[in-house]
Amino acid sequence: MPATTIHFIRHGKVYNPDHLLYERLPGFHLSTTGARMVQATADYIARSPQMTTVAAVYCSPLDRTRETAGIILDTLNRTRNERGEEPLEPIADERIIEAGNEFRGTRIGHGEGALWRNGNWKLVRNLWTPSWGESYRHIAQRVGEFAQEKVRQYAGRQIIAVSHESPIWSYRHLLETGHPEHNMLLRHTALASITSITFDSDSGDMLSITYVDPAKDVR
């Protein structure tokens, strides 16, 4: 049966000297280390005969994911050029954007972000929903809508989707357990890692999930 694989890639490390919760705020770019992490992942992709055949590269519209997609495409398009193929361009999709968070722009535990100030404690009353922002169920739903659309659009092929930790893990957890709610401290989605989900192209059912962390040794 035909199968479609979506390689969900988390962005690299962000330059954030003030340790803010940046969420969907603009102006947060990959750090030097983050760029090296993504390059390690891009090199891993370039060595994979399967992944170099991806039909498209999608990304969240935020700076850090666009930059991650750009580094990956710089490497991937060199391989495509050697094969006489047209270069790919990144395609932004809002459905794989970072999770909404009411603590955006603050340092958790410091200043206005301190949990005991301004009623902030009410936002952390439920760690499983979660109560501080967009629900894991809504996150998984929008990523799932993206995935099912692309499974049909690219039946029998592979694509890359550059996203964020919470969207990738919430969707993966839903597929594996039947519910998206999870303990955020137990996520298995490292920076610049690849979570590859393969689907039956006809039914849209998940067939397998694999995970690799090509940048684990980058410091």
Side-chain angles (χ1 to χ4, degrees):
M1 58 186 156
T4 307
T5 300
I6 302 178
H7 303 284
F8 287 96
I9 300 178
R10 186 182 175 193
H11 61 81
K13 186 175 183 179
V14 173
Y15 180 71
N16 184 20
D18 295 324
H19 305 288
L20 299 178
L21 199 158
Y22 39 79
E23 192 234 25
R24 299 177 183 176
L25 295 175
F28 285 89
H29 303 275
L30 293 181
S31 66
T32 301
T33 299
R36 290 201 304 270
M37 296 172 85
V38 177
Q39 188 60 60
T41 297
D43 292 341
Y44 173 89
I45 293 170
R47 293 192 297 270
S48 167
Q50 292 76 32
M51 292 191 72
T52 57
T53 65
V54 295
V57 175
Y58 287 84
C59 64
S60 154
L62 299 179
D63 294 324
R64 56 194 182 273
T65 40
R66 287 181 181 274
E67 291 166 358
T68 296
I71 294 171
I72 291 170
L73 280 168
D74 283 346
T75 301
L76 182 59
N77 281 335
R78 284 198 292 272
T79 300
R80 292 178 62 85
N81 181 62
E82 292 169 0
R83 296 195 299 239
E85 299 171 353
E86 291 295 318
L88 296 176
E89 296 288 340
I91 306 170
D93 196 300
E94 290 277 352
R95 291 172 293 183
I96 54 175
I97 199 170
E98 177 64 286
N101 194 307
E102 295 301 320
F103 286 107
R104 74 185 65 83
T106 65
R107 293 180 62 192
I108 301 300
H110 300 274
E112 294 302 308
L115 298 183
W116 58 88
R117 291 193 178 180
N118 302 324
N120 284 342
W121 61 270
K122 297 176 183 177
L123 296 175
V124 292
R125 66 186 184 278
N126 187 324
L127 301 182
W128 292 88
T129 305
S131 52
W132 55 80
E134 185 181 9
S135 72
Y136 292 138
R137 183 158 299 277
H138 185 263
I139 296 167
Q141 178 182 1
R142 58 178 168 82
V143 177
E145 289 173 355
F146 165 85
Q148 288 300 312
E149 177 186 291
K150 301 312 169 190
V151 166
R152 294 189 299 271
Q153 183 177 350
Y154 297 98
R157 307 182 74 182
Q158 304 184 52
I159 67 168
I160 286 172
V162 183
S163 186
H164 309 264
E165 181 182 35
S166 184
I168 296 171
W169 185 259
S170 297
Y171 183 52
R172 174 179 176 174
H173 201 265
L174 173 65
L175 293 175
E176 292 183 318
T177 70
H179 61 87
E181 292 78 20
H182 60 274
N183 184 336
M184 64 180 296
L185 300 178
L186 299 179
R187 291 172 180 162
H188 193 49
T189 315
L191 290 164
S193 63
I194 306 173
T195 301
S196 300
I197 307 178
T198 299
F199 302 85
D200 180 317
S201 300
D202 295 328
S203 67
D205 293 339
M206 184 267 290
L207 300 176
S208 66
I209 299 177
T210 61
Y211 173 84
V212 293
D213 183 7
K216 63 182 179 181
D217 296 324
V218 177
R219 297 291 182 266

